[in-house]
Amino acid sequence: IITICCALIFAIGLAPNPAFADGRFSVSPMNQKIILTPGETYQGSFKVTNPANNEYDFAYTTEVTPFYVDENYEITYENNGDYNQMVNWTTINNPEGTISPNETKEIYFSINVPKNAPAGGQYATITVTSKNDDDPTDNSVNIKTRFAIAHIVYAEIAGTTIRQGEITSADVSSFLLSGNITGSSTIKNTGNVHGTAKYTMQIFPLFSSEEVYTNEEDPIEKTILPDRTLYNELAWEDTPAVGIFNVIYTVEFEGITTQVSKLVIKCPIWLLFIIIFAIFALIFYFVAKSKARKKATKASQTR
């Protein structure tokens, strides 16, 4: 189950989205960001839907696990660090149930925040898992495999929060033989609460001010957990095979902005060979012509 959940969450990414569906059922919203107050109880919920085209009732169970990423920013549920204490504070009010086709059920949860809860970020995942079809106690389920999906809770404990980080690298390759024009960057969150990184790129043909690509109206956003480093790439998927472009790549995080402006040449290897061949051919032509001229001059002097 843990392996399935990891794959599902990694596939949907770490940015806020309204819903996620795997074809058999959906969770909405996929995640939520909340503010918690020490000594108080937070009541929250999210929805699980069994689609109308599903033939079977969906019998489910729930589990609260840590939400954590390792140094490669891959999801793991085995951490119980300072930023995952919320797992022990969270209770699912309706942890099991059955959802009929075309029915939506609200999953309710409570977070009992201790009075001495530390300020900063807390992160947990509420995993919704189908029951196994060979369970003799439940004949309503006729699903061949178990499957799971997760709802991520990003919490911020009220108090002294530190929002800071550093953009440790940002670059765009100047010369490409193949592939897409891509901006890449690495951001480290050095604060004690999650932050949002924003990535944009503008691309102009050489000698033109008209954009051929921009995502300024729909920037890529990624949530970075405290004390974590995120490497990210933003690519122009429709990069042509040949061209020279002016590229502006911008990365923003917690009030810090880094911008890279570069002239990028896209030249496939076959064209590079043609250019090299043409250069050598011209060199050979001019050398041969120079020798012929010298030979003719020498011949005229001997007459």
Side-chain angles (χ1 to χ4, degrees), residues 63-77:
E63 181 184 12
V64 183
T65 57
F67 178 65
Y68 180 78
V69 292
D70 64 17
E71 293 300 333
N72 297 317
Y73 228 78
E74 295 179 350
I75 310 301
T76 176
Y77 295 91

Side-chain angles (χ1 to χ4, degrees), residues 63-257:
E63 181 184 12
V64 183
T65 57
F67 178 65
Y68 180 78
V69 292
D70 64 17
E71 293 300 333
N72 297 317
Y73 228 78
E74 295 179 350
I75 310 301
T76 176
Y77 295 91
E78 300 176 357
N79 184 70
N80 288 300
D82 293 338
Y83 295 110
N84 301 116
Q85 298 179 46
M86 185 171 62
V87 172
N88 302 318
W89 311 339
T90 305
T91 303
I92 309 298
N93 300 352
N94 50 336
E96 296 187 3
T98 301
I99 308 175
S100 301
N102 202 30
E103 180 185 4
T104 296
K105 180 165 288 188
E106 198 101 3
I107 306 295
Y108 296 94
F109 61 92
S110 303
I111 304 176
N112 298 304
V113 188
K115 291 182 179 180
N116 62 347
Q122 288 291 327
Y123 309 97
T125 299
I126 301 175
T127 305
V128 182
T129 307
S130 69
K131 286 187 176 180
N132 204 330
D133 64 325
D134 59 7
D135 184 352
T137 64
D138 191 344
N139 296 323
S140 66
V141 179
N142 188 17
I143 302 174
K144 298 304 179 184
T145 57
R146 300 181 73 180
F147 51 93
I149 200 167
H151 175 80
I152 306 169
V153 180
Y154 298 91
E156 180 180 330
I157 308 296
T160 304
T161 56
I162 303 172
R163 298 182 180 277
Q164 64 181 22
E166 54 181 309
I167 302 172
T168 57
S169 69
D171 196 20
V172 178
S173 297
S174 299
F175 187 81
L176 297 174
L177 293 175
S178 61
N180 298 315
I181 294 176
T182 302
S184 61
S185 62
T186 303
I187 301 175
K188 183 176 182 179
N189 185 348
T190 57
N192 67 350
V193 70
H194 53 277
T196 301
K198 186 167 72 172
Y199 310 85
T200 57
M201 190 160 59
Q202 298 168 271
I203 301 178
F204 307 84
L206 188 64
F207 307 124
S208 174
S209 59
E210 184 176 348
E211 295 173 331
V212 291
Y213 171 82
T214 181
N215 70 323
E216 288 181 296
E217 295 184 359
D218 187 23
I220 301 298
E221 294 187 351
K222 297 286 185 179
T223 299
I224 307 180
L225 304 187
D227 196 32
R228 296 294 89 189
T229 299
L230 174 63
Y231 173 80
N232 187 68
E233 293 185 347
L234 173 58
W236 179 24
E237 300 295 342
D238 296 323
T239 301
V242 181
I244 303 177
F245 305 92
N246 289 308
V247 179
I248 302 174
Y249 175 58
T250 306
V251 183
E252 302 174 54
F253 183 73
E254 297 301 329
I256 304 171
T257 301

